[in-house]
Amino acid sequence: MRIGLDAMGTDDAPAIEVAGAVRALEDLPPDTEVVLVGDESRVIDELGRHSGFDRGRISVFHAPDRILPEESPASAVRRKRESSIVVGLELQKAGDLDAFVSAGSTGAVMAASLFRLRPLPGVDRPAIGTVLPTAAGPALMLDAGANVDCKPSQLVQFAHLGKIYAQDLMGVPDPRIGLLNIGEEPEKGDDVSVEAHRLLVSSGLNFIGNVEGRDIIRGACDVLVCDGFVGNILLKFYESVAEFTVGLLTKELSVSHAELNLDEVFRVLDYSEYGGAPLLGVNGVTIICHGQSNTKAIRNALGVAAQAVSKGMVGHIARELSVDQQGG
Amino acid sequence: MRIGLDAMGTDDAPAIEVAGAVRALEDLPPDTEVVLVGDESRVIDELGRHSGFDRGRISVFHAPDRILPEESPASAVRRKRESSIVVGLELQKAGDLDAFVSAGSTGAVMAASLFRLRPLPGVDRPAIGTVLPTAAGPALMLDAGANVDCKPSQLVQFAHLGKIYAQDLMGVPDPRIGLLNIGEEPEKGDDVSVEAHRLLVSSGLNFIGNVEGRDIIRGACDVLVCDGFVGNILLKFYESVAEFTVGLLTKELSVSHAELNLDEVFRVLDYSEYGGAPLLGVNGVTIICHGQSNTKAIRNALGVAAQAVSKGMVGHIARELSVDQQGG
């Protein structure tokens, strides 16, 4: 198995990426190789700072160019054919990589995945999934920002995508699907919500109904379906509230309780535990990481990518959607 | 000044309401009277349990009926003319009350306010404002759930409503208005967001631009404008995340650090500090409280209602919107 990693993605590239790749070797199956895609000489320099790992399991593929976060994604992807993002996804398309992980421009990774890997049959628009920590363990929310407006039928597709991700990556045999809404009753919300609720009821999925904002954190469902506008706002809000609360506490506790062990609290609120957000619905494995990812987040994202490949997630999604098409 | 309080609103009515009213007398201006609207004998019984307050400043207005949270708001308001909510808002309409506070069915309070008080000229749809704790102090978010779909021009009206509330109730002379969106750039979001951004730029308001989910908690703006779908989900999510985090901590800290004083942390995350959500844009003062409100929340909501009256908030809103209409 060969997992590609954009070596030029984070704000501290390639140091974070190289460190994440080196650490990931400890978790990944022994036959797995990490391919660092980026400026070859800088990446090799950086690799030289590490030791005690199997150098034969890390290779470098040269990509001299880099797409910056402030560039327009679609035009940058068309223009910068030598960028790490475009090169990495070309390699996956050609079959030279099984998956690609990037902490670069989210828009560019999405656009390049869409153009190169293409959506699977039955998928109108791929969605970004993101794992939210809850009191009952992780839940997958999608879409987290790829699509601002969604039709009801697209929300149903997201539910199918999320179901397979939860089965293959989160180990949930029969994922409970919830529709994010402003009330529990089927008639709540806007027209899109009402129609999506109706379609989900007859989808054959384990649909538990509408889920309100207050139900997410107690773990009401395993897969939370919403459009990318609400999803993106909620995700960014969650991250910042967790940080804010931890900050308040740290300030409050630092003087008198320096010995206090808050590791468990921090772990629950720590996104890097979950490592990256999958772009679901394309014909391949793309994992998108934060631009501010740390080594642990990159390491975990590589683990998620490897697991998606070894479980055959893309094949499962293709089958799920073809069954869905035939059935309904 | 006479502030009406629905005595039958909370899950523990009328005990919570009566206790809140008694406690509120300590904060309210001496010439202010609280009128408890509800089942007269039960309310008088409950008042008998309290002592050491000026009984002359609390009166009871009999309303034998009660609208339950599970009833359809519009039809319940039409049908139950003797309910505490309908009677209270009739009293305000007739000029016998200056404001009305209720922890009863939010939908019924909204519907009765709309039918009885009517929207102010220039307001298409009233909005529920809610105060969110942030690192830089409270911020007002609106709409928090009254309107699931909003036109760009309605979002601009919300901005004007929020501006006046922030000036009169939060003491912010020139409130910074933000538009909740998925990115900072003007072209981000759906068509409604893009057009609302354009209108806000030329509104004469102190518009600081789009605000992302992650910016809310650091206090990026004083007034956060959004539609009621996103606002409701975000509000309920915030409340539950705050509870969840505090719960995690309490569990983590309880054994070894029972002496720990987390009051400051809890205070920042405690909604009852802010006391109720104003329904803005009607020709009167309506404050909506949680059904699970405690005594402090009711007390604070009565304080907010009194302040809105004494500051002349409704007059300021009427003027703001008439200026806006003439100006644009």
Side-chain angles (χ1 to χ4, degrees):
Chain A
M1 198 194 305
R2 290 162 58 93
I3 310 293
L5 171 62
D6 177 359
M8 315 310 286
T10 68
D11 299 345
D12 298 311
I16 295 286
E17 283 81 352
V18 169
V22 167
R23 296 294 303 281
L25 295 180
E26 299 165 27
D27 321 319
L28 297 173
D31 62 339
T32 306
E33 186 186 328
V34 176
V35 180
L36 288 157
V37 181
D39 184 317
E40 191 168 24
S41 66
R42 289 183 61 196
V43 174
I44 288 176
D45 275 0
E46 195 61 39
L47 276 167
R49 293 172 199 231
H50 296 268
S51 58
F53 65 99
D54 182 354
R55 185 64 180 78
R57 292 177 63 200
I58 295 193
S59 63
V60 184
F61 195 97
H62 185 54
D65 213 350
R66 181 177 185 172
I67 295 175
L68 301 171
E70 59 270 25
E71 290 181 274
S72 160
S75 74
V77 164
R78 274 193 301 269
R79 225 176 50 247
K80 295 192 163 177
R81 301 192 170 259
E82 306 265 280
S83 63
S84 52
I85 290 172
V86 174
V87 169
L89 286 156
E90 283 285 0
L91 288 170
Q92 188 179 170
K93 181 189 173 191
D96 295 326
L97 291 176
D98 297 295
F100 185 64
V101 173
S102 175
S105 155
T106 299
V109 177
M110 270 167 41
S113 297
L114 206 56
F115 298 159
R116 295 304 188 284
L117 304 177
R118 310 299 304 164
L120 287 164
V123 175
D124 293 337
R125 311 260 290 268
I128 297 177
T130 188
V131 175
L132 301 179
T134 84
L140 184 77
M141 176 175 78
L142 75 174
D143 176 29
N147 310 287
V148 287
D149 279 316
C150 295
K151 290 184 226 163
S153 59
Q154 291 170 334
L155 294 175
V156 177
Q157 290 170 14
F158 297 170
H160 286 287
L161 297 174
K163 171 192 163 187
I164 300 299
Y165 187 88
Q167 285 180 336
D168 283 350
L169 278 291
M170 295 158 61
V172 184
D174 189 19
R176 296 162 303 151
I177 314 287
L179 177 66
L180 186 59
N181 205 337
I182 59 168
E184 285 180 12
E185 304 83 353
E187 69 276 10
K188 285 281 180 172
D190 55 11
D191 294 345
V192 172
S193 306
V194 172
E195 176 65 6
H197 188 287
R198 199 185 64 77
L199 293 175
L200 283 165
V201 164
S202 57
S203 65
L205 290 160
N206 182 10
F207 178 53
I208 61 155
N210 291 337
V211 165
E212 293 188 73
R214 71 164 67 93
D215 302 322
I216 302 168
I217 198 76
R218 66 173 175 80
C221 61
D222 302 303
V223 175
L224 181 63
V225 173
C226 59
D227 70 43
F229 189 85
V230 180
N232 185 270
I233 287 169
L234 202 63
L235 168 64
K236 290 179 179 167
F237 185 65
Y238 192 162
E239 292 173 339
S240 64
V241 168
E243 270 176 43
F244 172 65
T245 313
V246 168
L248 263 181
L249 281 165
T250 311
K251 200 177 108 193
E252 205 62 29
L253 300 174
S254 58
V255 184
S256 54
H257 298 82
E259 85 290 1
L260 204 59
N261 186 351
L262 287 176
D263 282 0
E264 175 60 19
V265 177
F266 284 53
R267 200 190 57 73
V268 173
L269 298 174
D270 180 3
Y271 272 81
S272 58
E273 285 290 332
Y274 299 108
L279 181 68
L280 296 171
V282 290
N283 188 14
V285 174
T286 294
I287 308 288
I288 300 171
C289 299
H290 257 287
Q292 291 90 37
S293 287
N294 57 19
T295 301
K296 181 166 71 172
I298 298 293
R299 173 186 183 165
N300 288 338
L302 288 167
V304 168
Q307 205 184 337
V309 174
S310 62
K311 292 274 185 173
M313 180 186 78
V314 173
H316 293 159
I317 289 176
R319 195 174 61 194
E320 170 81 9
L321 284 160
S322 77
V323 170
D324 178 51
Q325 301 286 302
Q326 288 159 18
Chain B
M1 197 196 305
R2 290 161 58 93
I3 310 292
L5 172 63
D6 177 359
M8 316 309 287
T10 66
D11 298 345
D12 298 311
I16 295 286
E17 283 82 351
V18 169
V22 167
R23 296 293 304 281
L25 295 181
E26 299 166 26
D27 320 320
L28 296 173
D31 63 339
T32 306
E33 187 186 327
V34 176
V35 180
L36 288 157
V37 182
D39 185 316
E40 190 168 24
S41 66
R42 288 184 61 196
V43 174
I44 287 175
D45 276 0
E46 195 62 40
L47 275 167
R49 295 172 198 229
H50 296 267
S51 59
F53 66 98
D54 182 352
R55 185 64 180 78
R57 292 176 63 198
I58 295 193
S59 63
V60 183
F61 195 98
H62 186 54
D65 214 351
R66 181 178 186 173
I67 295 176
L68 301 171
E70 58 271 25
E71 290 182 274
S72 159
S75 75
V77 163
R78 273 193 302 268
R79 225 176 50 249
K80 295 193 163 176
R81 300 189 172 261
E82 307 265 279
S83 63
S84 52
I85 290 171
V86 173
V87 169
L89 285 157
E90 283 285 1
L91 287 170
Q92 187 179 171
K93 181 189 173 190
D96 295 327
L97 291 176
D98 297 295
F100 186 64
V101 174
S102 175
S105 155
T106 299
V109 178
M110 270 167 41
S113 297
L114 205 57
F115 297 159
R116 296 303 187 285
L117 304 177
R118 311 298 304 163
L120 288 164
V123 176
D124 293 337
R125 311 262 288 271
I128 297 178
T130 188
V131 175
L132 301 180
T134 83
L140 184 77
M141 176 175 78
L142 75 173
D143 177 27
N147 311 286
V148 286
D149 278 317
C150 294
K151 290 183 225 163
S153 59
Q154 292 171 333
L155 295 175
V156 176
Q157 291 170 14
F158 297 170
H160 286 287
L161 298 173
K163 172 193 162 186
I164 300 299
Y165 187 88
Q167 284 180 337
D168 283 351
L169 278 290
M170 295 158 62
V172 184
D174 189 20
R176 296 162 303 153
I177 314 286
L179 178 66
L180 186 58
N181 205 336
I182 59 168
E184 286 179 12
E185 304 83 352
E187 69 277 9
K188 285 281 180 173
D190 55 12
D191 294 345
V192 172
S193 307
V194 172
E195 176 64 7
H197 188 287
R198 199 185 65 76
L199 294 174
L200 284 165
V201 165
S202 57
S203 66
L205 291 159
N206 182 11
F207 178 54
I208 61 155
N210 291 337
V211 164
E212 293 188 74
R214 70 164 67 94
D215 301 323
I216 302 169
I217 198 76
R218 65 172 177 81
C221 61
D222 302 302
V223 175
L224 181 63
V225 173
C226 59
D227 70 44
F229 189 85
V230 180
N232 184 270
I233 287 170
L234 203 62
L235 168 64
K236 289 178 179 168
F237 185 65
Y238 192 161
E239 292 173 339
S240 64
V241 168
E243 270 176 42
F244 172 65
T245 312
V246 168
L248 263 182
L249 281 165
T250 311
K251 199 178 109 192
E252 205 63 27
L253 300 175
S254 58
V255 185
S256 54
H257 296 84
E259 86 289 0
L260 204 58
N261 186 351
L262 287 176
D263 282 0
E264 174 61 19
V265 176
F266 283 54
R267 200 190 57 72
V268 173
L269 298 174
D270 180 3
Y271 272 81
S272 59
E273 285 290 332
Y274 300 107
L279 181 68
L280 296 171
V282 291
N283 188 14
V285 174
T286 294
I287 308 287
I288 300 171
C289 299
H290 257 287
Q292 291 90 39
S293 287
N294 58 19
T295 302
K296 182 167 72 171
I298 297 292
R299 173 187 184 164
N300 287 338
L302 288 167
V304 167
Q307 205 183 338
V309 174
S310 64
K311 292 273 184 174
M313 180 186 78
V314 173
H316 293 160
I317 289 177
R319 196 174 61 194
E320 170 81 8
L321 285 160
S322 77
V323 169
D324 178 50
Q325 301 286 303
Q326 287 159 18

